[in-house]
């Protein structure tokens, strides 16, 4: 029987040079400290020798477009490519030194997709979409030079209204846990992004964060009180710069009622950086 053997969530712009430019020496120090904790989480994950790593992240309107905006999308196939963009955002330039191709765990990805549709999740699928910093910065920071197990990339629409609800993301996470439990594989799961920040899409608010809101989320994760998280509305998340917390909601659904340990939380004017790991039974 399969099992989730590791669960962690973390910010996904992990580039000291980017934060040096955006927030000066404090920015560099903060992201470096956060990255050290994520690397430690990666060592603990590698020690589990898991068969797969499920990565839940959001599309930054570079894998998909307004042509079609999937609420929840599972990447299937055998390999996934690192995204390459001619006019990459600064934080996607950091991908340049990373491997270009990653194995996909085809069996687990197909099971999440097929049984998800059977159980009422109208999932999108993709054979082609490449992965950007939201997937690869955390994955590579976790692994360093160690081998990366086959991935199951999953996209959540965090940006374009109407997004899936927090409750729906949580239920999808419960579905993922069920699929893992039914299968023969052990898997880690990470969710990336956040915490509070306002990306360029919300230009007037770039440089703000909502630390009070972050601390409420952290409290509920630490105590395993997941009911209040289910009631978070899209409007609340939007106003607090917590859009990417929907990725975290998928993970929380997969591990509920496990409690979280905060490995790192650091405030910057631009974003609150976080690394959180769940205590699994
Ligand atoms: Fe992001």
């Amino acid at each position: 029987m399969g099992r989730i053997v590791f669960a962690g969530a973390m910010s996904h712009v992990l580039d000291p040079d980017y934060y040096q430019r955006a927030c000066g020496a404090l920015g560099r120090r903060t992201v470096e400290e956060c990255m050290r904790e994520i690397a430690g989480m990666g060592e603990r994950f590698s020690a589990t020798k898991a068969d797969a790593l499920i990565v839940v992240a959001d599309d930054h309107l570079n894998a998909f477009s307004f042509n079609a905006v999937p609420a929840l999308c599972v990447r299937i196939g055998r390999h996934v490519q690192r995204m390459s963009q001619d006019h990459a955002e600064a934080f996607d330039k950091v991908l340049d030194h990373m491997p270009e191709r990653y194995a996909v765990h085809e069996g687990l990805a197909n099971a999440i997709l097929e049984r998800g549709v059977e159980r009422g999740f109208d999932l999108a699928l993709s054979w082609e979409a490449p992965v950007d910093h939201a997937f690869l910065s955390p994955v590579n920071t976790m692994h360093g030079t160690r081998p990366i197990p086959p991935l199951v990339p999953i996209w959540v629409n965090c940006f374009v209204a109407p997004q899936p609800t927090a409750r729906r993301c949580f239920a999808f996470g419960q579905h993922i846990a069920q699929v893992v439990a039914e299968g023969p594989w052990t898997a880690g799961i990470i969710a990336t992004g956040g915490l509070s920040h306002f990306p360029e899409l919300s230009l007037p608010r770039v440089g703000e964060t909502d630390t009070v809101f972050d601390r409420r989320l952290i409290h509920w994760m630490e105590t395993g009180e997941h009911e209040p998280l289910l009631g978070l509305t899209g409007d609340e998340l939007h106003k607090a710069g917590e859009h990417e917390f929907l990725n975290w909601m998928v993970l929380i659904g997969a591990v509920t009622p496990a409690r979280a340990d905060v490995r790192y939380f650091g405030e910057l004017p631009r974003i609150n950086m976080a690394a959180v790991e769940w205590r699994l039974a």
Side-chain angles (χ1 to χ4, degrees):
M1 193 169 126
R3 203 158 59 88
I4 293 179
V5 291
F6 175 88
M10 66 284 288
S11 305
H12 62 209
V13 175
L14 303 174
D15 180 358
D17 291 342
Y18 174 79
Y19 280 108
Q20 174 83 46
R21 284 191 299 275
C23 306
L26 174 66
R28 175 178 291 278
R29 195 168 65 240
T30 300
V31 73
E32 284 178 348
E33 285 170 5
C34 190
M35 290 172 74
R36 260 195 299 280
E37 291 299 329
I38 294 167
M41 288 163 66
E43 283 175 22
R44 288 188 287 282
F45 168 63
S46 290
T48 69
K49 299 189 166 33
D51 298 307
L53 178 60
I54 301 162
V55 188
V56 185
D58 48 306
D59 178 38
H60 294 86
L61 291 171
N62 47 15
F64 307 112
S65 72
F66 286 112
N67 211 330
V69 181
L72 299 167
C73 180
V74 182
R75 180 61 158 79
I76 55 172
R78 296 200 173 153
H79 293 95
V80 61
Q81 291 291 126
R82 182 190 83 194
M83 189 176 290
S84 72
Q85 302 169 90
D86 288 342
H87 304 287
E89 290 285 350
F91 41 77
D92 271 332
K93 288 228 171 28
V94 76
L95 303 182
D96 286 351
H97 71 277
M98 294 177 186
E100 288 179 27
R101 202 165 110 116
Y102 300 79
V104 169
H105 198 294
E106 195 178 25
L108 182 56
N110 284 346
I112 291 170
L113 172 67
E114 290 166 11
R115 281 179 228 155
V117 172
E118 282 166 18
R119 291 172 188 155
F121 292 94
D122 298 320
L123 301 170
L125 62 95
S126 173
W127 274 283
E128 279 189 358
V131 282
D132 73 352
H133 67 279
F135 295 84
L136 295 185
S137 283
V139 165
N140 280 286
T141 302
M142 281 174 69
H143 287 87
T145 55
R146 293 188 308 280
I148 297 170
L151 306 177
V152 179
I154 293 175
W155 288 269
V156 177
N157 168 27
C158 291
F159 280 114
V160 184
Q163 294 91 335
T165 62
R167 188 176 294 276
R168 186 64 167 164
C169 291
F170 183 91
F172 180 54
Q174 290 178 302
H175 160 68
I176 290 173
Q178 192 179 341
V179 170
V180 171
E182 289 162 352
W185 307 293
T186 55
I189 180 168
I190 61 171
T192 84
L195 281 172
S196 177
H197 68 295
F198 293 90
E200 274 74 2
L201 292 172
S202 311
L203 199 56
R205 297 197 64 186
V206 168
E208 289 181 40
T209 61
D210 190 335
T211 301
V212 173
F213 204 99
D214 274 345
R215 297 223 179 263
R216 278 168 59 200
L217 297 180
I218 286 170
H219 170 76
W220 288 325
M221 291 190 282
E222 283 179 330
T223 57
E225 290 174 70
H226 296 157
E227 196 60 36
L229 294 171
L230 297 178
L232 291 169
T233 66
D235 198 42
E236 268 177 297
L237 293 172
H238 178 72
K239 284 187 177 140
E242 302 282 8
H243 45 283
E244 288 178 335
F245 194 71
L246 289 178
N247 303 326
W248 294 42
M249 284 302 301
V250 175
L251 180 145
I252 292 166
V255 300
T256 192
R259 296 175 179 220
D261 290 319
V262 176
R263 303 291 183 212
Y264 188 80
F265 183 79
E267 293 177 51
L268 283 177
R270 185 80 173 216
I271 185 169
N272 291 338
M273 308 278 320
V276 176
E277 192 171 337
W278 275 261
R279 257 176 277 159
L280 303 178

